[in-house]
Amino acid sequence: MSSTHAKWWEQPNVHVLILRDATEQMLTGVRIEISHPDYSLPLEMIIQKDSPDIIQYIYQQKSVIGELCGGWVHPSARGQGVFRQVIQTAIEYTKVLGLTWVLGIAGQHSIAFFETFGFETFENIHQQSTYVYPDERYCSTLLIKHN
């Protein structure tokens, strides 16, 4: 498993959910990263330049905030509904972890998918919710869900 967010595996508030088949082949997975004073959430690095108001808002809340990130599906498992399963499980697990808010960055092609789980577009004070991520080829949208 790789990531654009370096050394997430060394952070204390990271949980990884993986779905395997009967042969132990990893089919899909996602990370849940919980806000922590010593570690930035991955989305903070993405939005801090254009939306410092959102970062400030997030940390002013008297809530536990986390991020779903690093989602992936093995090519052999695409179209089988395994990502839906792991995301549903991750959302339920965020409740067990005590998260009040769950954030995520979704590509334009996956916004409708995440909306089926109750995520909504989260705009900054300039009514902006889209960001260049993971690189200039992509436009991604900041999403939020209240547990």
Side-chain angles (χ1 to χ4, degrees), residues 51-119:
S51 302
D53 59 300
I54 291 177
I55 301 299
Q56 183 179 12
Y57 173 80
I58 288 170
Y59 286 105
Q60 285 177 345
Q61 302 305 302
K62 302 293 184 204
S63 306
V64 181
I65 298 166
E67 178 182 354
L68 290 185
C69 52
W72 59 274
V73 179
H74 189 276
S76 68
R78 292 187 181 141
Q80 298 178 22
V82 294
F83 193 58
R84 178 170 292 283
Q85 287 179 274
V86 81
I87 294 298
Q88 183 62 51
T89 302
I91 290 169
E92 291 304 314
Y93 190 49
T94 65
K95 295 173 186 174
V96 171
L97 294 170
L99 273 66
T100 309
W101 295 97
V102 182
L103 299 157
I105 296 281
Q108 299 304 299
H109 63 281
S110 61
I111 294 170
F113 171 80
F114 284 99
E115 286 175 340
T116 67
F117 295 101
F119 282 89

Side-chain angles (χ1 to χ4, degrees), residues 10 24-26 31 33 35 37 39 42-43 53 65 74 76 79 81 83-85 89 108 113 118 122 132 141 143-144:
E10 294 178 356
E24 294 297 312
Q25 168 73 38
M26 291 192 299
R31 288 192 324 271
E33 296 200 20
S35 59
Y39 303 98
L43 64 80
D53 59 300
I65 298 166
H74 189 276
S76 68
F83 193 58
R84 178 170 292 283
Q85 287 179 274
T89 302
Q108 299 304 299
F113 171 80
F122 191 39
V132 174
T141 299
L143 302 174
I144 189 165

